[in-house]
Amino acid sequence: MLNLKEILLRADEMSIQDILGEQTIKILNLLNEDGIYLSELKRLILNLHSGEDLLSNPKYRKIIIDLLKLDEAKTIARILGVYHSTDTPASWYKTIKDLRYHRNSENLNTLFSIFNIQKGKTIIEEECISEITITVQYGLFEHQRVAARKVQNILNTGHERVLLHMPTGSGKTRTSMNIISDYLRANEKTLVIWLANTEELCEQAALEFEKAWTVLGNREISIYRHWKNHNVELSQLNEGLIVAGLQKLISSSKGTNGRHFMVELAKRISFVVFDEAHQSIAPVYNDIVSYLLEVGQPKKLIGLSATPGRSFGNIEEDQKLADFYHRKKVKLEVKGYANPIDYLTDAGYLAKANFNYIKHKNIPSLGIDDENKGSSTPYDYTKEILSKLAEDEQRNLLLVNQAIRLSKTHKRIILFAPSVECSNIISFILQSQGIHARSLTSNTDNSQRKLIINDFKNNDDSPKILCNYGVLTTGFDAPKTSAAIIGRPTTSLILYSQMVGRAIRGINAGGNIEAEIVTVIDEDLPGFRSVAEAFENWEDVWE
């Protein structure tokens, strides 16, 4: 069946004028100061003429037949019995128009059937829909919209800095891209810079912005990459988003040319986004961030973090972070939930995390006493302490046995080892037991790194274990990972939360219903209990 409404919408101005009459259109234009649009005229025809009227009137019927596509005219000719294979397409239209369509004739009733016209009903009545639900391709949930609106309100009311506090898996990046897109739509010929400290986080941000702007954008703009082997050319910067790796910026800032690069870059940007914002006051990054903010025009700054603090027990450092963002923080909140982690779990965006704690008594000869623990950095244990743990054969055996146990019920497992050597050793031992295991550390070259990660992420049904040290805590997204072994102690609630976060993607985020987190608790070394605990830990600092 053909749709008469769709066919009428093809009509040009002359066809519409033939139906309504020149005088009618002139009067309608006089009644409207800005004139009347062609689409409105078509709407009038559909409102004022029934399908029965349009097909019964010889003049209107001929106009409608002329609007038919070739295959439609051919179909009607066949149904009316006037189609001949030797005829030219032009003759189909003429033959259909020349047929006799008397009232209640077989030809007219057949034509009504072809267009699904019921006598006594207008076209608009036949297809009238009072409510249409419009789906969105890059939308936000209510709690994300509320958070985005609060951030924008802060930035639009005289404040220049704010930290967006959203837990892992809650759509922090997606929410931020909506904010950035709103800003770029309202401000042309400007640049936003997104700062991140890993290749994975940079690539994730660039791809996410491309996805967002394709739907939310209002003009063509550019994404500029500046990390690893990617380089931005100052002369080519126009408007859009720069995604920059922090290490790359540090390298680019060195020397006389580096100072010129940073000055010109800072002058061109008006908005800074710092991913994993708890790192923004770290000495190694703070100089770069401060330079970007202080040189040139005043800039807006958004920090993104699931853990808005610097440490577990150093309140002075936590207060420095809060001060850097002018003590303005927007926390994700969900009605009916004291903690958004509970909502995200109930809604299936985070897996239900089952925490399993295994205590290990350290061998006295390792010498991890109070004096050695005191030599740890302000944020975590030193490599020397971690290396001593890695030399404990019984501890390593414990990690191996846990990995073997988990491989019987989980397909993808991440093991966080206390050292590079320990990661390599455990991976080798697991392989010797017939388990698919690989080791990934900062010593792994880029090409091998990509192969190992892609192998871990593929859809093979066999269990796979990825051992690592010093990597995979941020920017690594393998949603099917359903188990993690935290085999390195840490005083950093941030680091602990990031390690746990690698394994708790929920079913609605492409992950799992449940996840298992095994944490080795070393004698006299602190451990943590849950991601929800981390989310609430620093609230008093920001008040």
Side-chain angles (χ1 to χ4, degrees):
M1 286 181 286
L2 301 180
N3 188 309
L4 187 54
K5 179 181 176 181
E6 289 182 359
I7 292 171
L8 277 171
L9 292 176
R10 302 171 189 166
D12 58 16
E13 291 183 358
M14 292 302 298
S15 298
I16 295 301
Q17 183 172 295
D18 286 343
I19 294 175
L20 292 176
E22 184 177 355
Q23 186 72 6
T24 302
I25 294 176
K26 284 183 178 179
I27 294 171
L28 288 170
N29 279 318
L30 289 172
L31 289 171
N32 294 272
E33 291 183 0
D34 297 327
I36 189 163
Y37 292 103
L38 184 61
S39 59
E40 293 177 281
L41 293 174
K42 293 176 183 179
R43 180 74 180 173
L44 278 173
I45 293 171
L46 294 171
N47 273 319
L48 300 176
H49 293 280
S50 68
E52 182 180 359
D53 289 340
L54 291 169
L55 292 176
S56 297
N57 185 300
K59 177 183 176 182
Y60 299 160
R61 184 172 59 244
K62 288 179 180 179
I63 292 172
I64 290 167
I65 291 170
D66 283 334
L67 292 173
L68 294 172
K69 295 179 181 178
L70 193 61
D71 60 332
E72 293 169 344
K74 184 177 180 180
T75 297
I76 291 178
R78 284 182 182 276
I79 294 173
L80 292 173
V82 293
Y83 169 78
H84 302 287
S85 59
T86 56
D87 291 344
T88 63
S91 66
W92 301 339
Y93 291 84
K94 184 177 185 306
T95 304
I96 295 170
K97 287 188 284 188
D98 288 346
L99 281 175
R100 292 180 176 274
Y101 296 92
H102 299 304
R103 186 178 180 83
N104 292 325
S105 67
E106 181 179 350
N107 285 341
L108 186 57
N109 287 333
T110 300
L111 205 58
F112 288 160
S113 297
I114 292 171
F115 287 93
N116 194 28
I117 299 299
Q118 298 179 32
K119 293 182 181 181
K121 290 191 177 182
T122 63
I123 297 173
I124 206 69
E125 288 174 335
E126 290 173 357
E127 300 185 7
C128 180
I129 301 174
S130 300
E131 179 181 344
I132 297 175
T133 300
I134 302 171
T135 58
V136 296
Q137 296 180 19
Y138 201 84
L140 297 176
F141 294 109
E142 181 182 4
H143 53 280
Q144 295 169 330
R145 295 196 300 272
V146 170
R149 190 159 56 247
K150 287 181 178 178
V151 168
Q152 291 168 322
N153 287 342
I154 289 173
L155 294 178
N156 292 335
T157 53
H159 302 284
E160 296 179 342
R161 303 183 187 187
V162 61
L163 186 141
L164 178 57
H165 179 198
M166 295 176 67
T168 300
S170 64
K172 190 165 60 258
T173 304
R174 190 182 186 92
T175 303
S176 304
M177 291 306 175
N178 269 269
I179 296 171
I180 291 171
S181 296
D182 283 348
Y183 179 80
L184 286 172
R185 281 199 307 273
N187 298 273
E188 299 198 11
K189 300 299 179 184
T190 192
L191 289 163
V192 176
I193 189 167
W194 182 290
L195 304 175
N197 73 330
T198 69
E199 179 181 355
E200 288 83 6
L201 284 174
C202 287
E203 187 62 33
Q204 182 186 78
L207 293 175
E208 195 66 23
F209 179 72
E210 182 177 352
K211 187 191 303 182
W213 191 254
T214 299
V215 177
L216 304 175
N218 62 357
R219 64 192 185 279
E220 289 187 357
I221 61 175
S222 299
I223 302 174
Y224 304 94
R225 287 171 163 83
H226 191 68
W227 75 84
K228 287 288 185 180
N229 297 324
H230 299 291
N231 296 280
V232 297
E233 295 293 336
L234 293 173
S235 60
Q236 295 178 4
L237 291 178
N238 185 17
E239 62 173 346
L241 177 71
I242 303 169
V243 180
L246 287 159
Q247 294 297 337
K248 182 82 169 188
L249 276 181
I250 291 172
S251 176
S252 300
S253 68
K254 293 179 179 178
T256 304
N257 291 336
R259 286 194 292 274
H260 171 74
F261 175 86
M262 291 301 297
V263 168
E264 291 303 313
L265 180 62
K267 284 180 179 178
R268 298 183 190 210
I269 61 177
S270 60
F271 199 126
V272 179
V273 181
F274 198 115
D275 200 0
E276 303 293 341
H278 46 272
Q279 299 177 346
S280 52
I281 64 165
V284 68
Y285 299 142
N286 190 243
D287 288 345
I288 288 290
V289 180
S290 297
Y291 201 97
L292 291 174
L293 291 171
E294 293 167 8
V295 175
Q297 62 185 304
K299 301 174 181 68
K300 300 181 185 298
L301 168 66
I302 295 179
L304 310 176
S305 183
T307 48
R310 285 284 287 153
S311 68
F312 182 59
N314 192 331
I315 193 169
E316 289 184 5
E317 286 296 313
D318 296 337
Q319 287 177 337
K320 284 181 184 178
L321 180 67
D323 290 341
F324 187 72
Y325 287 92
H326 298 173
R327 294 189 176 269
K328 295 295 181 182
K329 180 168 76 70
V330 171
K331 182 176 75 170
L332 184 69
E333 296 177 317
V334 182
K335 291 179 181 178
Y337 287 86
N339 192 308
I341 299 292
D342 298 329
Y343 163 76
L344 293 168
T345 302
D346 289 348
Y349 297 103
L350 293 180
K352 179 184 177 182
N354 299 309
F355 288 85
N356 184 9
Y357 301 95
I358 300 176
K359 293 184 178 180
H360 176 68
K361 184 175 177 63
N362 301 117
I363 300 172
S365 61
L366 291 178
I368 304 178
D369 51 24
D370 290 338
E371 182 179 349
N372 280 319
K373 283 185 286 185
S375 68
S376 62
T377 71
Y379 314 114
D380 209 350
Y381 294 114
T382 62
K383 286 187 177 181
E384 288 74 19
I385 290 177
L386 295 177
S387 294
K388 286 180 178 293
L389 291 175
E391 295 169 2
D392 185 340
E393 294 176 359
Q394 290 301 314
R395 191 179 189 278
N396 291 341
L397 181 60
L398 185 154
L399 296 177
V400 169
N401 286 334
Q402 287 300 314
I404 292 173
R405 178 183 67 80
L406 291 172
S407 69
K408 296 175 181 177
T409 53
H410 296 269
K411 298 300 182 185
R412 296 294 182 272
I413 303 155
I414 293 181
L415 187 151
F416 295 94
S419 74
V420 170
E421 293 76 12
C422 184
S423 176
N424 293 337
I425 289 169
I426 291 175
S427 172
F428 178 81
I429 292 172
L430 290 173
Q431 290 178 54
S432 73
Q433 301 302 303
I435 295 174
H436 186 108
R438 298 290 183 270
S439 177
L440 187 65
T441 70
S442 57
N443 294 342
T444 310
D445 66 61
N446 283 338
S447 58
Q448 189 65 18
R449 176 191 182 105
K450 289 179 180 178
L451 287 174
I452 291 172
I453 289 175
N454 289 337
D455 175 66
F456 186 75
K457 288 183 176 183
N458 69 26
N459 293 322
D460 289 355
D461 199 42
S462 59
K464 294 184 179 181
I465 299 175
L466 191 52
C467 306
N468 82 102
Y469 170 74
V471 294
L472 304 184
T473 55
T474 59
F476 176 74
D477 190 19
K480 293 300 181 183
T481 307
S482 60
I485 301 173
I486 314 299
R488 59 155 297 169
T490 177
T491 61
S492 169
L493 190 50
I494 296 169
L495 178 58
Y496 183 77
S497 299
Q498 289 171 339
M499 289 189 286
V500 171
R502 298 315 98 199
I504 58 172
R505 292 291 185 190
I507 194 74
N508 286 334
N512 309 280
I513 296 174
E514 293 191 2
E516 186 172 355
I517 311 298
V518 175
T519 303
V520 176
I521 304 296
D522 292 282
E523 187 179 46
D524 298 327
L525 298 181
F528 302 105
R529 293 184 294 278
S530 71
V531 178
E533 176 188 8
F535 188 77
E536 298 290 346
N537 185 70
W538 293 277
E539 285 305 295
D540 59 326
V541 176
W542 289 80
E543 292 176 355

